[in-house]
Amino acid sequence: MRGTLAFFKKELIEHTRNYKLFIFFIVFAIIGILSPLSAKFLPELLESLMDENITIILQEPTHVDSWVQFFSNVNQMGLVVMILVFSPLMAREYEKGTLVHMVTKGLPRLSIYSAKLAMLYLSWTLFYWMSALITLGYTYYYFPDSSTEGLLLATVSMYIFGLMLMALLLLSAVILETTFAPLLAVGGFVGLLFLGELVPVIQEWSPLQLNSRNAQWLTGLEPGQEIIQSFAVTGILTVVFIAAGAALFRKKAIN
């Protein structure tokens, strides 16, 4: 436990000094501010840009539009930036040879792996929920009649999906020693999930439902049996990714 905390402290200092945590703060803060703002004023902006001879009827924006923007921005910007920045998580350790010195001095490999995982999960947890709270505050400001119906399920489901991707990222970083290979591995996995959506049986169990049906729950759609199945599969995959990464790292040759 002491070794894990010591290595985690080293990770925290390193990621602070190289501005990774600052980058996450800026990106997720922008997402939190921009999501309600774009939902509120984007229709007005579109109307002002349209030709006078063209008439487009736009619905009055609601709090649902704010959260739709939030989930979309987290998918397209937040998760992408976090996975991109953390992709060299293990590659740089392999290149510098820092792990060799620590292991030879008696630091358990499991402590190194646990500290890396804790850094990933702390970053995702802290900045995701920070962004969600900012979005919540601005949504109430721009849409005073906002409702929180379905909001907890919608935000938690995306959070759980992100935890699974972080576990897969670390597993990929353990196996693949290059800088961007883990990024491609995670991207390939998500691509397979999208392909699986074409098969109804797979779709009912797909983790991608946690990341694609958020807006529907905000509109009052009752979650069915499939969401329980998706949570179960996502949880199992997360545990498998973590356990596999730990087992492989314990046996991996470190030069």
Side-chain angles (χ1 to χ4, degrees):
M1 186 64 180
R2 183 178 299 176
T4 302
L5 292 175
F7 196 85
F8 176 77
K9 182 179 179 180
K10 172 255 182 191
E11 288 287 298
L12 188 60
I13 294 173
E14 179 180 323
H15 290 311
T16 302
R17 286 177 177 174
N18 59 23
Y19 302 106
K20 288 183 179 180
L21 299 183
F22 180 72
I23 292 172
F24 295 150
F25 174 81
I26 295 298
V27 170
F28 280 89
I30 290 174
I31 290 174
I33 296 171
L34 191 62
S35 298
L37 194 66
S38 58
K40 177 67 175 178
F41 297 108
L42 185 58
E44 298 179 10
L45 179 61
L46 290 176
E47 287 183 357
S48 66
L49 295 176
M50 295 303 297
D51 191 278
E52 295 180 357
N53 298 323
I54 300 176
T55 302
I56 296 180
I57 300 176
L58 299 174
Q59 293 183 346
E60 189 69 22
T62 67
H63 71 283
V64 175
D65 298 293
S66 176
W67 287 106
V68 167
Q69 290 292 329
F70 170 77
F71 295 127
S72 176
N73 290 333
V74 170
N75 273 324
Q76 298 175 12
M77 185 163 54
L79 273 172
V80 172
V81 169
M82 186 162 286
I83 292 173
L84 179 63
V85 170
F86 275 135
S87 186
L89 189 66
M90 299 298 294
R92 290 180 180 175
E93 301 282 7
Y94 294 144
E95 291 174 3
K96 295 177 181 178
T98 54
L99 296 180
V100 177
H101 300 293
M102 295 180 180
V103 171
T104 54
K105 289 182 179 180
L107 182 64
R109 293 192 180 202
L110 187 58
S111 295
I112 297 174
Y113 182 84
S114 300
K116 293 283 187 180
L117 182 65
M119 191 69 234
L120 285 171
Y121 275 6
L122 176 66
S123 299
W124 171 242
T125 300
L126 176 63
F127 295 110
Y128 173 79
W129 288 112
M130 178 198 77
S131 184
L133 288 174
I134 294 174
T135 301
L136 180 64
Y138 276 96
T139 299
Y140 269 106
Y141 177 78
Y142 289 121
F143 308 99
D145 58 343
S146 299
S147 170
T148 57
E149 181 183 3
L151 181 58
L152 182 61
L153 176 60
T155 51
V156 169
S157 62
M158 173 165 280
Y159 171 70
I160 298 298
F161 184 81
L163 292 180
M164 180 189 67
L165 292 187
M166 293 301 117
L168 175 60
L169 179 65
L170 183 55
L171 169 62
S172 304
V174 168
I175 300 173
L176 308 170
E177 300 183 7
T178 57
T179 300
F180 294 107
L183 172 66
L184 297 177
V186 174
F189 175 76
V190 175
L192 289 176
L193 291 180
F194 275 105
L195 289 177
E197 290 287 295
L198 301 175
V199 183
V201 177
I202 298 179
Q203 183 185 38
E204 293 178 358
W205 295 82
S206 175
L208 201 58
Q209 291 198 65
L210 304 184
N211 201 40
S212 60
R213 296 199 173 187
N214 315 81
Q216 297 178 15
W217 298 323
L218 292 173
T219 58
L221 178 67
E222 290 293 329
Q225 178 68 27
E226 66 276 0
I227 189 59
I228 300 176
Q229 297 169 178
S230 296
F231 268 114
V233 171
T234 304
I236 292 171
L237 286 176
T238 302
V239 173
V240 169
F241 292 153
I242 293 173
L248 291 171
F249 186 65
R250 289 182 64 183
K251 298 180 180 180
K252 189 174 183 66
I254 302 177
N255 300 320

